Amino acid sequence: VMFYGNNPAFFALSDQQLSLWNVDQKKIQVQATKPPTGFAVGALNPVNPNTYFAVGLTSGILEAWNTEGKKLYTQRGHTNSISAMKFSSNGSRILTGGMDNQLKVWDSNNGKLIKTLPDHTAPIAGIDIHPSGSIFASASHDGTVIIWNVATLQPYRTLNGHEGPVRCVAIHPTNAMLVVSGGQDRALIYWSLNPKQRNNPIVGKIADHAAPVTCIAFAPNGSSMATGSEDRTIKIRPLK
């Protein structure tokens, strides 16, 4: 499921169909006749979400499709399944993470590979980009979260604190200094990117799920956060 910005609509993508649903009317607005198959992850272009989207395949291939079900391009770069994907805030780049331990940055217009970022040593589980487009974060089974400078595509912080693989990561939408990650260890860790706390970046830690934390999402205004887990629960957390 891929949400269409702040509009009352979302795309539902499966190996059988791609549908654009209107939430208020509770009906399908657009349905593709030939959706992609064999994909592992997907992402909507945030600038033109009703125009095209990208999918990462289990074979390591990146594809872009329009919402009518027409393939725009295919590019190969990963040597194993693509496991995480995100568009940049302005829609010009696609970031992918793979089971091959690599992050890759692509030109979303034509699928051309811009750069490979090999800093992680285990599969990539999650990627998030701040709405300002200044930084992004990657979470990996190597137990780290890396914070990246979007302009230079260079890492500037590596965060260590989980006991085992990190499964997901999210950057607060209105406070780019706050990052939250979830792990195989059931823990949610709140990190501060304030330079004054470089030596002690953990500002909160909680483990109230009964199984690994697999997804994190902030409300658009940053007032609350939702976390999902393999314990089959979703927790809504107000933020002060």
Side-chain angles (χ1 to χ4, degrees):
V1 176
M2 300 176 286
F3 280 90
Y4 182 4
N6 293 321
N7 296 307
F10 64 90
F11 284 97
L13 177 62
S14 73
D15 274 347
Q16 284 74 44
Q17 66 180 21
L18 167 68
S19 304
L20 171 62
W21 287 80
N22 184 292
V23 176
D24 293 335
Q25 298 177 7
K26 298 181 181 179
K27 68 178 185 179
I28 295 174
Q29 290 184 192
V30 177
Q31 185 163 322
T33 56
K34 295 181 179 181
T37 59
F39 61 89
V41 290
L44 282 172
N45 185 319
V47 177
N48 296 300
N50 61 333
T51 304
Y52 75 100
F53 61 96
V55 293
L57 277 60
T58 55
S59 62
I61 290 174
L62 168 69
E63 294 181 348
W65 292 70
N66 69 20
T67 51
E68 300 299 324
K70 179 182 178 181
K71 188 188 297 185
L72 304 178
Y73 58 76
T74 298
Q75 293 289 358
R76 179 180 291 278
H78 288 280
T79 59
N80 206 328
S81 177
I82 296 177
S83 49
M85 173 179 287
K86 197 85 170 183
F87 274 88
S88 62
S89 302
N90 63 8
S92 66
R93 301 286 185 265
I94 302 173
L95 279 68
T96 59
M99 297 299 290
D100 58 4
N101 310 346
Q102 294 186 340
L103 281 166
K104 292 182 181 291
V105 183
W106 312 78
D107 186 323
S108 67
N109 294 314
N110 53 28
K112 181 180 178 181
L113 179 64
I114 296 171
K115 191 171 183 179
T116 297
L117 311 175
D119 298 62
H120 282 294
T121 60
I124 313 301
I127 300 171
D128 194 33
I129 303 177
H130 190 260
S132 67
S134 59
I135 63 171
F136 72 93
S138 56
S140 170
H141 289 188
D142 63 14
T144 69
V145 172
I146 298 180
I147 310 299
W148 303 80
N149 183 303
V150 170
T152 64
L153 295 179
Q154 294 294 320
Y156 76 92
R157 292 287 296 275
T158 298
L159 306 173
N160 293 277
H162 284 281
E163 298 177 4
V166 186
R167 300 285 298 274
C168 51
V169 65
I171 306 172
H172 192 280
T174 62
N175 177 12
M177 293 293 101
L178 177 62
V179 175
V180 181
S181 59
Q184 188 76 18
D185 56 2
R186 302 186 299 110
L188 279 170
I189 297 182
Y190 298 74
W191 309 88
S192 172
L193 302 184
N194 189 321
K196 295 180 180 180
Q197 295 180 261
R198 176 173 289 273
N199 295 327
N200 188 26
I202 296 178
V203 294
K205 186 173 183 179
I206 187 171
D208 58 355
H209 278 292
V213 181
T214 56
C215 53
I216 301 169
F218 284 104
N221 64 3
S223 63
S224 61
M225 177 180 73
T227 60
S229 167
E230 289 181 0
D231 65 9
R232 301 183 181 181
T233 67
I234 296 172
K235 296 180 183 289
I236 309 299
R237 307 171 187 273
L239 298 173
K240 295 180 180 180

